[in-house]
Amino acid sequence: MGEFLTEFRTETTLPAPGGQRGTEPGRPAGAPKRRGPIGTQRDGRPGPAEGEAVMLLERARAEVDPVLRDVLGSLPGPMRRIALYHFGWEQADGTPADGGSGKAIRPALVLAAAAALGGPEARAAAVRAAAAVELVHNFTLLHDDVMDRDTTRRHRPTAWTVFGVPDAILAGDALQALAMRLLAEDPHPAAPAATARLADCVVELCAGQHADTAMERRGPGEVTLDEVLAMAEAKTGALLGSACAIGGLYAGASDADVAALDAFGREAGLAFQLIDDVIGIWGDPRRTGKPVGADLAARKKSLPVVAAFTSGTPAAVELAELYARPSEEDDLDHIALTVERAGGRDWAQNQAADRMAVAMQQLARAVPDPEAAGGLLALAEFVTRRSS
């Protein structure tokens, strides 16, 4: 665990502006890299933790997808068509497609948490709950794409660009309703508590999205780091925390353990968002499925950008001037470099490591046995040691 956090701080796999790979923080220019890309061994093959995480994600996808396909099949025709397109299972014209429906991180966390505290039986019992969490996640994606005007997701046009804004919003609403119905119809004794927790999470997600959109209307110097961190916890950490907590509920865990699992997921989720924001600026569009510099072009106040704005450096002043210009005058590579010079990239990566350290402490409280906690740890490492 300690080795992971040390490596997390001292490595990066994200390309620097201009396509060159950035120097690792803490490593002199020209010095040999300690190892291959994050999560891999020196020969480029997946490391043990990444291999376990991939296995858990694939297994979760295999178990949850049939439930999702079944429940999506209950939607009225037009809503079903949009939902199946969004999940990557149909083309816009309704013909079958073999597109991916996402990494299944959140359902995998539900199942891993249930297994960690309740074993295989609890894990099997939590599959419907895991599907409900995945439905809520995709409800947020449909709505976020509309509000952010994102045109690409999972390497294909977003649903609103294909079917229109009203239909995409309604499809998202339908997914949220299906999630609650899945839990309402689940005979498991933990289902009522899971339903309440997921409903509370949706309210928090909406509050986080509201804060996010409100911040976009404010000037560069009017948003604090505390505000943007609280917003990110609500938008991203809340659902990962809820996923872990729901898994604990299905395992019959104590209130204290469920709370620790929620805290673990929230902190890991915030680390996830920090890395996601780094990828949003410096990631490879061939891997992310989104246009390069999309967050900068949209003038989003992502975590690295706000850290750069509040750094008090000359680069921060320059960045504020660049953000004030019309987007058609953009030199996105230059803006990205300015964020980096103002310390935004290093701050985000260090903050992500700090959040992961707290997450590990919370996980140890809920699941003191390292072997039992292995699945949750592998998933947390996977989502915070990635480049797409």
Side-chain angles (χ1 to χ4, degrees):
M1 188 179 300
E3 179 185 359
F4 158 61
L5 291 170
T6 300
E7 291 173 352
F8 190 103
R9 290 182 188 278
T10 57
E11 293 182 348
T12 178
T13 60
L14 300 176
Q20 300 300 313
R21 195 165 298 280
T23 300
E24 297 167 356
R27 179 176 66 89
K33 288 176 69 68
R34 293 174 180 80
R35 53 185 276 177
I38 288 173
T40 68
Q41 303 180 75
R42 285 186 175 85
D43 60 5
R45 291 181 294 111
E50 185 183 13
E52 181 179 0
V54 170
M55 180 192 70
L56 290 169
L57 292 169
E58 290 176 348
R59 183 180 176 191
R61 187 90 273 165
E63 292 172 320
V64 167
D65 278 1
V67 179
L68 292 173
R69 286 181 178 272
D70 182 62
V71 73
L72 293 178
S74 70
L75 288 172
M79 293 297 97
R80 181 171 65 248
R81 181 178 171 187
I82 298 166
L84 290 173
Y85 172 84
H86 168 75
F87 273 88
W89 295 331
E90 283 190 1
Q91 306 287 2
D93 61 4
T95 57
D98 56 3
S101 52
K103 295 183 177 70
I105 290 165
R106 291 151 191 84
L109 286 170
V110 175
L111 299 176
L117 286 168
E121 290 186 4
R123 188 186 190 284
V127 170
R128 287 174 65 88
V133 169
E134 184 71 345
L135 286 167
V136 165
H137 173 53
N138 281 276
F139 138 70
T140 68
L141 296 183
L142 281 162
H143 283 201
D144 283 357
D145 285 344
V146 170
M147 286 182 272
D148 295 341
R149 313 306 288 179
D150 285 338
T151 58
T152 306
R153 180 173 294 281
R154 298 168 185 158
H155 305 278
R156 68 197 312 218
T158 46
W160 73 268
T161 67
V162 176
F163 300 99
V165 168
D167 284 356
I169 292 173
L170 290 170
D173 294 340
L175 295 188
Q176 182 192 170
L178 289 179
M180 298 307 169
R181 191 179 79 188
L182 264 181
L183 289 174
E185 294 176 348
D186 190 347
H188 194 281
T195 304
R197 183 172 286 272
L198 194 57
D200 286 343
C201 178
V202 169
V203 173
E204 189 173 357
L205 291 168
C206 292
Q209 181 65 18
H210 178 269
D212 189 17
T213 55
M215 286 178 190
E216 296 308 313
R217 296 191 293 268
R218 293 158 61 184
E222 298 173 356
V223 177
T224 68
L225 270 177
D226 285 344
E227 284 181 299
V228 77
L229 284 166
M231 177 272 293
E233 180 181 345
K235 278 194 64 175
T236 304
L239 188 54
L240 269 70
S242 185
C244 296
I246 287 171
L249 289 172
Y250 272 74
S254 67
D255 289 347
D257 286 345
V258 170
L261 285 170
D262 184 86
F264 160 74
R266 282 175 179 272
E267 294 294 337
L270 194 45
F272 171 93
Q273 187 60 56
L274 284 153
I275 297 303
D276 197 62
D277 283 356
V278 170
I279 291 169
I281 298 174
W282 294 283
D284 183 346
R286 293 170 298 180
R287 301 188 65 182
T288 64
K290 294 184 178 182
V292 63
D295 287 354
L296 297 178
R299 298 296 189 266
K300 287 189 68 66
K301 296 181 182 69
S302 62
L303 288 156
V305 168
V306 174
F309 278 143
T310 58
S311 66
T313 62
V317 176
E318 182 183 355
L319 180 63
E321 294 172 353
L322 291 169
Y323 253 54
R325 293 179 183 174
S327 58
E328 57 266 20
E329 298 179 15
D330 275 350
D331 178 349
L332 295 178
D333 279 351
H334 179 61
I335 297 176
L337 181 59
T338 306
V339 175
E340 187 163 17
R341 285 171 39 230
R345 181 173 179 170
D346 283 349
W347 175 87
Q349 291 177 315
N350 288 330
Q351 183 72 201
D354 291 342
R355 295 291 176 168
M356 279 302 300
V358 176
M360 296 302 100
Q361 293 169 1
Q362 294 293 343
L363 179 57
R365 289 191 180 99
V367 193
D369 178 6
E371 185 174 349
L376 287 167
L377 176 59
L379 290 169
E381 290 191 20
F382 178 83
V383 300
T384 53
R385 298 176 65 170
R386 64 201 180 94
S387 58
S388 64

